[in-house]
Amino acid sequence: QVQLVESGGGSVEAGGSLRLSCAASGYDYNSYCMGWFRQAPGKEREGVARIDDDGSTTYADSVKGRFTISKDNAKNSAYLQMNSLKPEDTAMYYCAVSGTFCSLGTLYLGFGGQGTQVTVSS
């Protein structure tokens, strides 16, 4: 059974930073990706960042240059370093892992966690 546990969310002022962590277990893919997507009330779900097992990454234009995704294969974990946060980054952030759904637009179709809330005040 795939399990993902996100942590690291919180409330910060605009311009601040947060680091999200995702601990994954129970999956068995020969090749897989991990990533983050977010959902804010009244807004469309948005794929934020993804990383392949070879380390290649993709970012949404809205976060490019501010967010960095990384992973630690030994710990089956992924991280999202978020800098220069803006109020529009406020959302529930979800981690996802998949052997199939590895584009920013399809991350949410993979196995996901319960999410961690990020709130950025102006």
Side-chain angles (χ1 to χ4, degrees):
Q1 181 178 358
V2 179
Q3 288 189 324
L4 297 166
V5 179
E6 301 98 333
S7 62
S11 297
V12 296
E13 294 185 349
S17 297
L18 285 171
R19 186 175 187 247
L20 305 185
S21 298
C22 171
S25 62
Y27 61 90
D28 183 15
Y29 299 120
N30 290 327
S31 177
Y32 66 95
C33 65
M34 296 185 76
W36 296 87
F37 63 95
R38 63 188 181 185
Q39 179 81 64
K43 294 186 178 180
E44 290 189 2
R45 180 175 42 228
E46 179 185 24
V48 174
R50 53 169 288 281
I51 184 166
D52 285 332
D53 52 4
D54 65 359
S56 60
T57 58
T58 306
Y59 297 93
D61 288 343
S62 58
V63 306
K64 205 170 292 184
R66 301 187 297 120
F67 290 11
T68 302
I69 188 171
S70 61
K71 66 186 181 114
D72 185 332
N73 291 333
K75 296 182 179 180
N76 291 332
S77 295
Y79 309 94
L80 187 68
Q81 178 66 44
M82 306 186 295
N83 299 327
S84 302
L85 283 161
K86 303 175 181 180
E88 51 263 44
D89 294 318
T90 295
M92 186 72 80
Y93 284 71
Y94 299 89
C95 176
V97 62
S98 178
T100 304
F101 305 107
C102 287
S103 70
L104 290 179
T106 60
L107 275 176
Y108 72 96
L109 293 172
F111 290 102
Q114 294 300 308
T116 185
Q117 178 68 38
V118 171
T119 302
V120 185
S121 59
S122 58

